[in-house]
């Protein structure tokens, strides 16, 4: 140990001397770095050897200039990312698995681990290595970084990989831009990690990477979010989709705005989700990027088409979300609905009102009332007149029954036409027809 300390001291003094000893310092690093990163160094089971090796490595990185250190950066970054988990205290994972016994949650422990990674001196060393990159060394780093991201085990290494992507996207975007598409595709695969902290870290990384990627790659990412939201039965996948979209709107605002027509109709629908965990990130995205209700009118055609598509879904959660989307779209139109908007909205509204009753469907009925009252749109369009035969049934809960009765009265008053009630098989049905 004493000899090692002496050798490291000589090396660090040589690194401080500057360019006059660049060649000799580089030769020494070729021997010292592999030793420090070997089982005789940082991977040693002895705590004192680990501590010495880590201290020596950080000193070498701190004292080196870019000319000396640059040839070693690709392997150094990979090894340092993987070591973030290796050097974490062994008891952390044990405590996390038994968090309830200690009066905390697993998420609270993960949050503390995340804070530890962000303040880690090893992450500072990684950042210094990244500062020395040029176009050639960035190309050489691509494969080792990908390997560290895909093979790293444990939360610190996984989160560390995402932090490197964020740093490259923000502080080194000029040399990183040619590689952004590749790493966005890689990060897209990591967001489905079972650990929520890791998943959220890579969702944020996707938002930063979107600053540098092509429009085509961003649209592929949005399509991936749509598949997660619409095709999966796992509620967590809907949450992940929302986190990715929210990250794009936060960290790549200009790119989000340029592609708003492709993204906002999906956001508008998803923010009607009955599950709060999935609804919240989409609601935040809408609030952050949309100035007012006129945006709904701007994208009414796309919103209605999307809602119509999923009103046919066999999954009740999607069917209800699509129906609520129709109701919210109508509520956002203000006191007046133009004839053009009415023709777009009516078919999907008619379909949303039709079918079985379910808890919350009175919201759709209130939207129908608003639609009928707005400038008497129904009575002005002959096509809509011919199709207006709407069934309104009692709802199971007393609150819903009261809402339905109120809506019947308002509907009759607003449409101003003859109506009559028929009772068939114990179900009350109102048929509204033109004179």
């Amino acid at each position: 140990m004493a000899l090692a300390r002496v050798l490291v001291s000589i090396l660090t003094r040589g690194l401080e001397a500057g360019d006059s000893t660049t060649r000799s310092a580089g030769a020494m690093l070729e021997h010292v770095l592999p030793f420090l990163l070997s089982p005789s160094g940082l991977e040693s089971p002895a705590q004192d050897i680990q501590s010495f090796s880590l201290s020596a490595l950080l000193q070498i990185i701190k004292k080196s200039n870019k000319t000396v250190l640059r040839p070693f950066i690709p392997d150094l970054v990979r090894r340092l990312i993987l070591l973030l988990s290796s050097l974490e205290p062994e008891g952390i994972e044990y405590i996390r698995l038994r968090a309830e016994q200690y009066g905390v949650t697993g998420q609270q422990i993960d949050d503390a681990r995340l804070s530890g990674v962000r303040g880690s001196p090893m992450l500072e060393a990684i950042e210094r290595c990244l500062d020395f990159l040029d176009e050639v060394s960035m190309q050489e780093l691509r494969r080792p970084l990908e390997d560290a991201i895909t093979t790293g085990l444990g939360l610190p290494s996984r989160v560390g990989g995402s932090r490197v992507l964020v740093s490259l996207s923000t502080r080194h975007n000029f040399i990183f831009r040619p590689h952004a598409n590749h790493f966005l595709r890689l990060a897209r695969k990591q967001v489905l990690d079972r650990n929520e902290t890791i998943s959220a870290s890579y969702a944020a990384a996707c938002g930063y990477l979107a600053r540098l990627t092509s429009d085509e790659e961003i649209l592929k990412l949005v399509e991936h979010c749509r598949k997660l939201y619409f095709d999966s039965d796992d509620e967590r996948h809907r949450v992940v989709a929302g986190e990715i979209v929210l990250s794009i709107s936060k960290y790549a605002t200009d790119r989000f705005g340029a592609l708003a027509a492709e993204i906002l109709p999906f956001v508008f629908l998803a923010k009607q989700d009955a599950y709060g965990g999935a609804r919240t990130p989409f609601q935040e995205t809408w609030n952050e990027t949309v100035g007012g209700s006129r945006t709904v009118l701007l994208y009414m055609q796309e919103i209605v088409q999307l809602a119509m598509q999923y009103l046919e879904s066999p999954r009740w959660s999607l069917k209800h979300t699509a129906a609520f989307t129709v109701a919210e779209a109508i509520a956002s139109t203000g006191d007046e609905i133009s004839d053009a908007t009415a023709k777009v909205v009516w078919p999907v509204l008619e379909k949303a009102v039709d079918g079985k009753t379910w808890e919350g469907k009175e919201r759709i009925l209130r939207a129908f009332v608003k639609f009928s009252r707005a400038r008497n749109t129904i009575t002005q369009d002959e096509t809509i007149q011919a199709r207006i035969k709407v069934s309104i049934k009692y709802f199971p809960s007393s609150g819903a029954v009261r809402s339905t009765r109120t809506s019947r009265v308002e509907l009759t008053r607003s449409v101003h036409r003859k109506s009559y009630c028929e009772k068939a098989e114990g179900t009350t049905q109102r048929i509204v027809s033109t004179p």
Side-chain angles (χ1 to χ4, degrees):
M1 179 70 75
L3 177 59
R5 292 182 187 277
V6 171
L7 292 174
V8 170
S9 177
I10 294 172
L11 176 58
T12 53
R13 285 199 300 269
L15 293 172
E16 288 177 336
D19 293 338
S20 60
T21 58
T22 295
R23 182 174 300 178
S24 60
M28 293 180 69
L29 286 181
E30 289 180 358
H31 296 284
V32 173
L33 289 179
F35 171 77
L36 293 175
L37 295 170
S38 71
S40 300
L42 281 168
E43 296 180 3
S44 171
Q47 185 65 42
D48 58 338
I49 295 178
Q50 278 190 8
S51 299
F52 165 75
S53 300
L54 178 59
S55 176
L57 182 61
L58 296 179
Q59 282 295 316
I60 289 171
I61 294 175
K62 182 179 180 180
K63 301 295 185 181
S64 298
N65 59 47
K66 61 182 179 181
T67 305
V68 173
L69 194 62
R70 187 174 287 159
F72 306 97
I73 288 176
D75 187 56
L76 267 177
V77 170
R78 181 183 70 86
R79 297 294 295 273
L80 288 171
I81 291 174
L82 297 177
L83 283 170
L84 285 169
S85 288
S86 301
L87 298 181
E88 185 181 46
E90 296 180 359
I92 294 294
E93 194 62 35
Y94 176 88
I95 294 174
R96 186 188 183 281
L97 293 174
R98 294 161 179 80
E100 294 182 358
Q101 300 177 12
Y102 299 93
V104 295
T105 64
Q107 188 58 50
Q108 288 175 321
I109 294 176
D110 282 347
D111 290 342
R113 296 167 78 187
L114 179 60
S115 298
V117 171
R118 289 174 175 171
S120 170
M122 293 181 66
L123 196 61
E124 292 181 11
I126 293 173
E127 292 284 358
R128 181 167 175 80
C129 290
L130 298 180
D131 289 340
F132 291 157
L133 288 172
D134 59 8
E135 289 83 352
V136 176
S137 53
M138 181 65 240
Q139 179 64 42
E140 295 172 349
L141 176 63
R142 175 169 166 161
R143 182 60 62 84
L145 179 56
E146 179 180 352
D147 179 67
I149 290 172
T150 55
T151 63
L153 300 175
L155 182 144
S157 291
R158 303 281 285 156
V159 170
S162 71
R163 297 296 301 174
V164 170
L165 293 179
V166 171
S167 180
L168 288 170
S169 300
T170 53
R171 300 177 57 197
H172 313 284
N173 51 53
F174 181 77
I175 60 173
F176 184 61
R177 187 181 298 273
H179 310 279
N181 284 353
H182 172 77
F183 282 103
L184 179 59
R185 291 191 292 269
L186 183 64
R188 195 170 67 195
K189 298 177 183 178
Q190 312 307 314
V191 295
L192 295 180
D193 194 281
R194 289 178 297 178
N195 185 288
E196 293 184 7
T197 301
I198 296 173
S199 176
S201 295
Y202 277 99
C206 286
Y208 283 103
L209 286 163
R211 295 179 175 186
L212 308 178
T213 56
S214 63
D215 288 349
E216 181 182 2
E217 204 61 44
I218 295 176
L219 291 176
K220 287 181 180 179
L221 177 62
V222 173
E223 183 60 29
H224 178 67
C225 293
R226 290 168 65 106
K227 288 182 179 179
L228 288 177
Y229 188 89
F230 292 119
D231 297 347
S232 175
D233 293 328
D234 191 340
E235 287 183 343
R236 176 60 193 158
H237 287 182
R238 303 209 305 274
V239 176
V240 169
E243 289 176 345
I244 294 174
V245 173
L246 178 59
S247 295
I248 299 173
S249 69
K250 278 186 175 181
Y251 308 126
T253 307
D254 293 343
R255 308 302 300 282
F256 186 96
L259 300 171
E262 305 292 337
I263 305 175
L264 285 180
F266 167 50
V267 173
F268 185 81
L269 181 143
K271 78 184 185 77
Q272 315 303 325
D273 199 302
Y275 175 52
R279 179 178 64 249
T280 299
F282 287 106
Q283 184 68 62
E284 289 182 20
T285 302
W286 185 265
N287 293 342
E288 290 290 332
T289 57
V290 174
S293 59
R294 293 190 63 84
T295 304
V296 179
L297 294 175
L298 181 62
Y299 298 113
M300 182 66 77
Q301 182 73 41
E302 292 83 357
I303 291 171
V304 165
Q305 289 177 353
L306 193 61
M308 178 64 86
Q309 180 181 352
Y310 290 99
L311 280 173
E312 300 285 352
S313 174
R315 289 168 49 197
W316 280 103
S317 59
L318 284 181
K319 191 186 292 286
H320 293 173
T321 300
F324 289 147
T325 300
V326 179
E328 183 66 19
I330 294 172
S332 302
T333 57
D335 296 332
E336 296 184 356
I337 300 177
S338 67
D339 291 342
T341 301
K343 291 178 181 179
V344 171
V345 171
W346 168 248
V348 68
L349 175 59
E350 183 182 32
K351 189 169 187 62
V353 172
D354 194 18
K356 297 180 179 179
T357 62
W358 38 271
E359 190 68 28
K361 193 172 182 179
E362 61 270 20
R363 180 178 169 186
I364 318 302
L365 188 59
R366 286 194 292 268
F368 180 85
V369 172
K370 174 179 171 58
F371 180 84
S372 66
R373 295 180 66 179
R375 293 179 60 187
N376 290 328
T377 304
I378 293 179
T379 61
Q380 294 175 3
D381 190 279
E382 295 181 358
T383 303
I384 295 179
Q385 286 181 15
R387 298 179 58 191
I388 182 140
K389 184 179 287 186
V390 181
S391 299
I392 305 173
K393 301 180 180 180
Y394 282 127
F395 286 75
S397 67
S398 60
V401 170
R402 287 194 298 271
S403 176
T404 303
R405 288 172 176 169
T406 302
S407 298
R408 287 174 182 235
V409 173
E410 291 186 11
L411 180 61
T412 304
R413 290 174 178 173
S414 64
V415 178
H416 300 296
R417 57 170 62 83
K418 292 189 302 180
S419 60
Y420 62 93
C421 292
E422 292 183 347
K423 290 186 177 180
E425 300 177 353
T427 301
T428 302
Q429 183 181 49
R430 179 176 294 280
I431 302 176
V432 181
S433 59
T434 58

